[in-house]
Amino acid sequence: MMSRINNLEDYAVDYRKSVTEPEKFWAEQAERFVWRKKWDKVLEHDFHDYNVEWFKNGKLNITENCLDRHLLNRSDKIAIHWVPNDPKEPDRTFTYRELHEEVCRFANVLKRNGVQKGERVCLYMPMVPELAIAVLACARIGAIHSVVFGGFSANALADRINDADARILLTADFGPRGSKKIALKEVADEAMENTPSIRKAIVLQRTGDEVNMVEDRDLWWHDELERVDNECAPEIMDSEDPLFILYTSGSTGKPKGVVHTTGGYMVYTAYTFRNVFQYKEDDVYWCTADIGWITGHSYIVYGPLLEGATSVMFEGVPTYPDAGRFWRVVDRLRVNIFYTAPTAIRALMAQGQEYVELYKLDSLKVLGTVGEPINREAWEWYHHHIGKGHCPIVDTWWQTETGGIMISPIAGVLPTKPTYATLPLPGIQPVLLDNDGNELHGNGVEGNLCIKFPWPSMLRTTWGDHERCKNTYFSTFKGYYFTGDGCRRDEDGYYRILGRVDDVINVSGHRLGTAEVENAINMHEAVIESAVVGYPHDIKGQGIYAYVVCDADKLEITTVPEIKDEIMDVVIDKIGKIARPDKVQIVRGLPKTRSGKIMRRILRKIASGETSNFGDTSTLLDPSIVDSIKIGVVKDE
Ligand code: WTA
């Protein structure tokens, strides 16, 4: 069995096999792991009435594969190397043996607090080793983890806890980030005022600052650890038992809980980690994402640990204490593989060369990007200044729903091409469809990116609402998984992701639904209606532009700058700082068709600075609105 794709020919062989004999192909990959009972059938699927099962009736525990499996040969190898926000604080490292022990102990804490197999545990944590430990502890006992990014507000956290009906909340006093501290416990307290399902909150002391502890509900993490021993047998799970829920935004309604299951997710994250990054036994690998997002789940925790890698986990931000932070850590830890987001690259690029020139960066072998399209300038800068021209850049396209990397170069094996995610990984069958659902064959075409065959780590459902999953992903184009992205396949057959074709905006690699932001804005009492669009932003990729119609009477009492600030505050309160509009324009009306539909196309153009070429505006109810909006457009500072 081929364990790694080493050259173009391997890729071609693997790819062909994955298409002609998918079950055989994935069964061979799955054989590498510890199964308590082998599967009866590799794949069962139906893309119409959506249902997918991989490694049916297989029994396993993913942590046995992430941890126990390595105890024989890698027990003293570092599994997690943690770098704190404050460079003056010491690093913390965990060997595979230590991590195994910590995970078992915390699993016992969860058990002691009554957590049952299949129950949901919500994690609202800083980027500390305890977060990874707690994630794995959930998986150890078969509890379903739902990690909520620490930048979300109390309202957003409560919504996610309630949707998942989580019983336990894991949090910390504060989360250090750059020169600030995020008051996680305070936000959690506010959220817990509206989460009847929560029985207990287990609170980690990260900074030691004082926080409010509610009797009979809040427990200290360190106290709980003292009450348990360090042995915990892994719960035997079915291959299709849910492993985790992760909330993500779509074009309509509130965020949905994407559900990933155990067996397929394990096989695919390990396969992609090993191949895309060409991870070799002694490599030091660093992914700068937050575990609150899918990238952190798949490529800080599960993928690397499944492969027995050393995974660096970083608590801080790229610009603290200065813009050389990443590079200092790379040199100090001799990082070989570095995986980050285009928005971070652009932000650092804007800070100038001097921060890079202070460092050698000679340990680097492979660079990666994820989360949003990378523009050519950022790609070139990353290639020349960070990779010194010799590190392949893997521009990895994938989604929360896909669980793992889908279209990407394989480092050093597939050629790279700036701004291109290049080619599908084995097992992935992308197609481009026109708006009528016809497959576009051949090269030099552009259309809606869909996937026509299942892969092991695809989402299984959206928590509590399978219809919604079917409608969102499998109804736009019958018989296909629809990604929501537009894509071009160039003359050479290489894929270039063009961005979302739905009402999702991607701000600094964070996915936000325009409807979600509008709903928050509309909660302001002076607001009658609003429309939110994305516009090109130098650092963030996309910025958020909000057009807001206010009640004229209320506007007379409050000034326009005041109301703009209030609107931003409402969004911060309902969702979090990541959704704060960059620009708010108060308008007298929105451009609507006679049937009442907002013409977002026009709003997008105005927000991106265009003043003409609005196309056909004859169907507008009141075409003069467009001119009035144009006059009031909010310019860059
Ligand atoms: C976008 C992140 C271009 C895309 C793993 C996708 C990308 C959405 C790339 C998913 C890339 C992700 N090039 N666009 N390499 N990677 N995207 O769920 O629009 O947070 O649909 O998953 O990010 O974002 P999500």
Side-chain angles (χ1 to χ4, degrees):
M1 190 197 73
M2 188 189 295
S3 67
R4 189 196 304 278
I5 297 168
N6 290 312
N7 49 48
L8 259 179
E9 200 189 323
D10 289 352
Y11 168 75
V13 170
D14 263 24
Y15 192 83
R16 201 173 317 113
K17 182 163 179 185
S18 78
V19 172
T20 55
E21 299 176 286
E23 298 198 28
K24 188 153 182 247
F25 177 81
W26 287 115
E28 279 177 15
Q29 294 303 327
E31 302 280 1
R32 305 177 63 245
F33 297 94
V34 177
W35 295 80
R36 291 297 185 101
K37 177 184 165 287
K38 207 177 162 177
W39 54 89
D40 301 332
K41 194 161 190 294
V42 176
L43 170 65
E44 221 160 76
H45 77 287
D46 170 2
F47 264 16
H48 291 274
D49 203 26
Y50 182 53
N51 174 49
V52 164
E53 289 171 277
W54 281 93
F55 311 110
K56 201 177 158 102
N57 295 327
K59 305 285 179 202
L60 75 159
N61 186 292
I62 195 168
T63 70
E64 193 167 16
N65 285 289
C66 288
L67 302 169
D68 308 54
R69 190 165 58 108
H70 303 307
L71 293 185
L72 200 60
N73 298 323
R74 300 191 180 98
S75 64
D76 293 325
K77 178 173 176 178
I78 291 174
I80 292 181
H81 187 129
W82 178 74
V83 178
N85 177 64
D86 180 350
K88 291 196 281 304
E89 230 187 281
D91 291 6
R92 290 168 68 197
T93 58
F94 296 80
T95 62
Y96 274 92
R97 186 189 311 120
E98 288 163 342
L99 187 62
H100 177 264
E101 185 176 319
E102 296 292 335
V103 168
C104 289
R105 287 185 72 192
F106 199 72
N108 287 334
V109 167
L110 294 174
K111 274 192 181 165
R112 218 184 88 81
N113 283 286
V115 180
Q116 310 274 321
K117 177 175 178 173
E119 266 186 351
R120 276 74 57 208
V121 174
C122 180
L123 296 86
Y124 186 66
M125 303 269 297
M127 274 292 283
V128 289
E130 285 79 1
L131 168 55
I133 290 166
V135 158
L136 293 163
C138 289
R140 188 81 174 170
I141 64 167
I144 302 170
H145 55 79
S146 168
V147 184
V148 177
F149 174 63
F152 280 114
S153 70
N155 281 297
L157 173 59
D159 284 349
R160 286 158 177 76
I161 289 173
N162 290 331
D163 188 80
D165 190 27
R167 306 300 159 86
I168 301 268
L169 177 64
L170 307 179
T171 188
D173 47 8
F174 285 82
R177 258 180 100 63
S179 55
K180 300 197 191 82
K181 275 190 257 182
I182 302 173
L184 293 169
K185 179 59 166 60
E186 199 181 304
V187 179
D189 281 342
E190 199 187 323
M192 283 188 285
E193 285 171 20
N194 300 307
T195 58
S197 61
I198 292 288
R199 291 191 306 254
K200 292 266 156 61
I202 305 179
V203 187
L204 178 80
Q205 248 177 1
R206 168 63 187 104
T207 62
D209 292 287
E210 198 167 319
V211 289
N212 174 48
M213 294 291 276
V214 175
E215 242 197 284
D216 295 331
R217 188 197 69 189
D218 299 350
L219 306 166
W220 286 114
W221 198 290
H222 55 271
D223 287 345
E224 289 303 295
L225 279 177
E226 289 195 353
R227 305 197 166 106
V228 294
D229 63 31
N230 52 19
E231 264 164 54
C232 176
E235 188 74 34
I236 305 305
M237 307 300 289
D238 189 88
S239 181
E240 282 299 334
D241 277 336
L243 176 64
F244 66 86
I245 304 173
L246 187 57
Y247 285 85
T248 190
S249 299
S251 48
T252 54
K254 44 183 189 104
K256 45 189 174 286
V258 167
V259 175
H260 283 289
T261 58
T262 309
Y265 178 81
M266 173 180 79
V267 171
Y268 195 76
T269 52
Y271 177 80
T272 49
F273 174 74
R274 180 169 77 253
N275 282 301
V276 170
F277 300 106
Q278 292 285 300
Y279 181 82
K280 307 264 159 42
E281 186 63 44
D282 293 320
D283 285 346
V284 174
Y285 161 86
W286 180 15
C287 165
T288 70
D290 191 291
I291 294 178
W293 309 112
I294 190 68
T295 307
H297 282 60
S298 301
Y299 299 108
I300 295 177
V301 182
Y302 289 110
L305 297 180
L306 284 163
E307 289 300 308
T310 298
S311 180
V312 176
M313 184 175 170
F314 176 51
E315 183 183 37
V317 296
T319 48
Y320 178 81
D322 61 53
R325 186 70 195 275
F326 275 177
W327 321 130
R328 195 147 60 241
V329 174
V330 165
D331 273 7
R332 182 163 65 83
L333 303 188
R334 306 290 302 156
V335 170
N336 306 110
I337 304 169
F338 180 74
Y339 190 29
T340 196
T343 188
I345 298 168
R346 288 190 298 261
L348 296 177
M349 188 168 94
Q351 302 275 325
Q353 248 4 78
E354 60 267 31
Y355 290 103
V356 179
E357 282 160 5
L358 289 171
Y359 306 97
K360 290 214 204 68
L361 304 179
D362 58 342
S363 56
L364 290 171
K365 294 194 298 192
V366 175
L367 301 174
T369 74
V370 57
E372 40 169 334
I374 182 164
N375 48 309
R376 198 177 178 114
E377 297 72 27
W379 196 99
E380 297 289 355
W381 186 83
Y382 200 32
H383 185 58
H384 293 291
H385 295 282
I386 306 305
K388 312 295 178 200
H390 66 80
C391 300
I393 296 179
V394 292
D395 176 353
T396 64
W397 173 83
W398 59 296
Q399 310 178 293
T400 305
E401 294 86 344
T402 69
I405 299 168
M406 303 284 282
I407 302 181
S408 168
I410 292 174
V413 170
L414 296 182
T416 60
K417 189 164 179 170
T419 76
Y420 279 74
T422 70
L423 294 172
L425 295 179
I428 306 307
Q429 299 185 35
V431 287
L432 303 182
L433 303 186
D434 68 15
N435 288 339
D436 300 322
N438 304 307
E439 266 191 43
L440 302 168
H441 296 285
N443 291 337
V445 289
E446 203 172 298
N448 299 292
L449 177 60
C450 293
I451 315 288
K452 73 171 180 191
F453 194 80
W455 64 100
S457 66
M458 68 189 303
L459 89 162
R460 299 303 193 264
T461 189
T462 45
W463 184 257
D465 193 351
H466 194 63
E467 271 312 296
R468 188 168 178 202
C469 173
K470 253 163 54 178
N471 289 336
T472 311
Y473 305 107
F474 296 93
S475 70
T476 316
F477 301 107
K478 293 265 174 290
Y480 300 89
Y481 167 80
F482 177 42
T483 65
D485 281 314
C487 182
R488 174 179 162 72
R489 184 166 56 227
D490 74 1
E491 282 64 24
D492 304 321
Y494 282 59
Y495 290 82
R496 177 171 199 248
I497 309 299
L498 302 171
R500 303 286 304 200
V501 293
D502 54 8
D503 288 318
V504 169
I505 42 187
N506 193 325
V507 184
S508 301
H510 301 153
R511 250 169 93 168
L512 293 163
T514 52
E516 198 185 343
V517 184
E518 287 161 10
N519 289 341
I521 293 175
N522 296 350
M523 292 205 197
H524 188 288
E525 54 168 15
V527 172
I528 295 173
E529 61 175 339
S530 61
V532 164
V533 298
Y535 71 96
H537 186 288
D538 285 349
I539 305 285
K540 298 179 179 183
Q542 277 188 302
I544 304 177
Y545 197 114
Y547 298 92
V548 184
V549 183
C550 288
D551 183 330
D553 295 341
K554 299 224 166 85
L555 255 190
E556 272 171 18
I557 316 167
T558 329
T559 67
V560 166
E562 267 170 13
I563 219 152
K564 285 187 179 182
D565 285 345
E566 286 176 23
I567 285 169
M568 299 207 190
D569 287 343
V570 175
V571 177
I572 292 172
D573 183 54
K574 298 294 167 203
I575 307 174
K577 281 213 178 77
I578 52 172
R580 178 184 182 274
D582 297 274
K583 297 179 179 181
V584 175
Q585 181 181 356
I586 309 293
V587 295
R588 92 178 141 82
L590 297 171
K592 287 187 186 174
T593 62
R594 288 191 187 85
S595 58
K597 207 170 160 299
I598 298 171
M599 286 186 92
R600 289 174 182 276
R601 172 174 60 81
I602 295 179
L603 293 177
R604 264 184 231 121
K605 289 207 160 168
I606 297 177
S608 54
E610 284 185 47
T611 50
S612 54
N613 299 321
F614 293 146
D616 182 11
T617 53
S618 64
T619 57
L620 284 177
L621 191 62
D622 176 4
S624 76
I625 290 264
V626 176
D627 289 322
S628 75
I629 295 179
K630 254 166 49 184
I631 292 167
V633 72
V634 184
K635 299 256 167 49
D636 289 322
E637 273 142 27

